[in-house]
Amino acid sequence: SIDIGNIGHMAITQKDIARYLNIDPSAVSYALNGTGTGSDTSRQQIVEAAQKLGYRPNILARSIRTGKTGTIGVLLGGDFQKQSEQLRHTEQSAREQGYHLVVAHGVSHVRHAEAGEIIETELNQLDRFVQFQVDGVVIQTAVIYLSEAHQKKYWDRVRHIMPKGLPVVAFDSPGDHDYTQVFVDRFQWGQKAALALSERGYQNLTYVGSKTGLFSKQIYRGLQSVSEINCSICEVEVTDSQSVFKGHRAVGLFRKGSAQVLVAANARIAHGLLIGLLEKGIRVPHDVSLVALDQSEMLQWPPRAISSFEYRNDALGKETWEVMHQLLEDEKPNPKTDRDYNLVARETLKEIVL
């Protein structure tokens, strides 16, 4: 037996728990590691005893024994604020399966960094994941905003860094690679937004975004693909910390009555548009409606809650883990391509009488 009063600060082992309960150590191994055999009742008794004794698993010993660290490296190279919500759901799902996320960031201001700095920062983080012997890696890279030549260079070096057989999921990171992808189809997003607005009676919209940026141009093409909608564009840069200012400045190009609804590429642009429209005396939504293709707390900021066309961050975060877990279990991953979108009508969307 073991005397709880004499434990002090000594490290409690599984053998100590077995002696305390006067049972075989293999039963403790089953309860705490999922090995061996035993009933659910005995497992609960062992878990309660472990908590009472202050047992803490030896992660290093477990990793030596199993060849696994129970960790997943996650590289966040882009919009940290947006990614944090998705990551929260990925982390929750991973934790339920006994894994923990190790998160590393790329450069903080992508638009103001040199291509070389963006690439080297991310590659160094990926190399650290390999050194830490993580069981898998999720890559969300900012390299998608660089030239095709830079992207090719980046993925060539990623393949060199990643050990063969290590599960890798590319999160919203298309490129010259064969890694399993979890992504949002921007063409589909734009197309479904246009269909949703058409169903509400809108016929003329202006997209405030870019027709050259990787994701923004796909949204624009999706908006254009719906024949019931007449779609024009007011071009502004999207992947820029100055998007609020650029959205505000874009109002100078807007003619009252030229569109029934302005569709902004993100929440920052939409917020700048709203402020600029109100300053110009254009009533929102009486004179023109405003919708953002985004989900962000900024959409709820004063002076008015902005309507949005959104996909579910929680579903995307959970799917990222599901795909990673399939790879960890040597199963064929089955990422989704069709997503559920929702038009959230707030204060900037006018009802049109059909």
Side-chain angles (χ1 to χ4, degrees), residues 85-140:
E85 178 66 17
Q86 298 164 344
L87 181 64
R88 184 169 66 84
H89 297 286
T90 303
E91 183 175 29
Q92 181 178 344
S93 299
R95 191 168 59 247
E96 292 170 356
Q97 297 286 339
Y99 286 85
H100 299 277
L101 304 189
V102 179
V103 181
H105 296 282
V107 297
S108 56
H109 299 289
V110 174
R111 295 290 295 181
H112 302 294
E114 297 291 334
E117 180 187 0
I118 294 172
I119 292 173
E120 293 303 322
T121 300
E122 292 193 11
L123 292 175
N124 287 337
Q125 300 287 32
L126 293 175
D127 188 54
R128 286 170 63 85
F129 286 154
V130 175
Q131 292 178 37
F132 291 154
Q133 297 184 340
V134 297
D135 297 333
V137 175
V138 177
I139 301 176
Q140 198 287 331

Side-chain angles (χ1 to χ4, degrees), residues 278-290:
L278 296 177
E279 288 177 352
K280 197 175 178 180
I282 298 175
R283 296 169 296 174
V284 180
H286 186 274
D287 295 327
V288 64
S289 292
L290 176 61

Side-chain angles (χ1 to χ4, degrees), residues 23 54 110 167 196 225 232 281 336:
I23 60 176
V110 174
S225 70
S232 60
K336 299 176 182 177

Side-chain angles (χ1 to χ4, degrees), residues 209-258:
S210 169
K211 61 181 179 181
T212 57
L214 176 63
F215 291 148
S216 184
K217 70 180 180 183
Q218 294 172 359
I219 290 174
Y220 180 49
R221 289 171 182 170
L223 291 167
Q224 287 183 307
S225 70
V226 177
S227 59
E228 294 85 354
I229 288 283
N230 177 31
C231 177
S232 60
I233 186 170
C234 176
E235 279 205 83
V236 299
E237 285 187 80
V238 175
T239 56
D240 196 322
S241 60
Q242 299 297 315
S243 289
V244 173
F245 168 73
K246 291 183 177 180
H248 183 275
R249 189 173 60 181
V251 174
L253 304 175
F254 174 73
R255 292 183 296 103
K256 184 176 177 180
S258 62

Side-chain angles (χ1 to χ4, degrees), residues 169-180:
V169 174
F171 177 78
D172 225 9
S173 298
D176 183 21
H177 63 79
D178 297 323
Y179 297 123
T180 303

